[in-house]
Amino acid sequence: QVQLVESGGGLVQPGGSLRLSCVASGSIFSINTMGWHREAPGKERELVGRIISGGYTNYADSVKGRFTISRDNAKNTVHLQMNSLKPEDTAVYYCHANLKQYYISGDRDYWGKGTLVTVSS
């Protein structure tokens, strides 16, 4: 089995910064993509950004220039550095991974349980 565990959420003032981290553990052969989605109250879950194994990244337009994703392949870890935070960034942030497991064919998607980010004065 595979687990994704997020950390780093919390309360921050507008204009502030937070850094989220997510560690994937378990029977992992290789990870194709790691990324972050978020779900704000009353809204659907949306992609924030993701990074593939080769280092290519893509971001939602709403966070471009403010958020940065990085990845440590050796530690199966992904980080989300969030700067210039706005109240509309308030949401539960979920870590996602698409990966291959030992002894199981095909790629699978896994999600963390989420971490709350609140941007408020």
Side-chain angles (χ1 to χ4, degrees):
Q1 193 54 275
V2 173
Q3 287 187 326
L4 303 183
V5 179
E6 304 103 332
S7 62
L11 173 64
V12 63
Q13 291 187 343
S17 298
L18 277 177
R19 179 178 168 90
L20 305 183
S21 297
C22 172
V23 180
S25 63
S27 181
I28 299 171
F29 177 75
S30 64
I31 299 178
N32 304 316
T33 303
M34 293 191 82
W36 295 89
H37 290 64
R38 68 185 181 187
E39 188 170 324
K43 296 187 177 181
E44 294 185 353
R45 190 175 298 190
E46 64 175 0
L47 173 69
V48 175
R50 59 189 166 201
I51 182 167
I52 66 172
S53 58
Y56 173 80
T57 58
N58 69 300
Y59 299 92
D61 288 343
S62 58
V63 307
K64 282 181 182 177
R66 300 188 297 122
F67 291 10
T68 303
I69 287 180
S70 60
R71 182 172 162 177
D72 185 335
N73 291 328
K75 297 181 179 179
N76 289 339
T77 299
V78 64
H79 305 285
L80 180 67
Q81 179 65 43
M82 304 185 293
N83 299 329
S84 302
L85 282 161
K86 305 175 181 180
E88 50 263 43
D89 294 318
T90 295
V92 178
Y93 284 70
Y94 296 91
C95 179
H96 166 261
N98 178 268
L99 52 85
K100 293 178 170 59
Q101 294 178 251
Y102 288 104
Y103 314 118
I104 298 176
S105 63
D107 298 339
R108 292 194 171 190
D109 292 302
Y110 286 92
W111 294 88
K113 293 182 179 180
T115 185
L116 177 63
V117 172
T118 302
V119 184
S120 175
S121 55

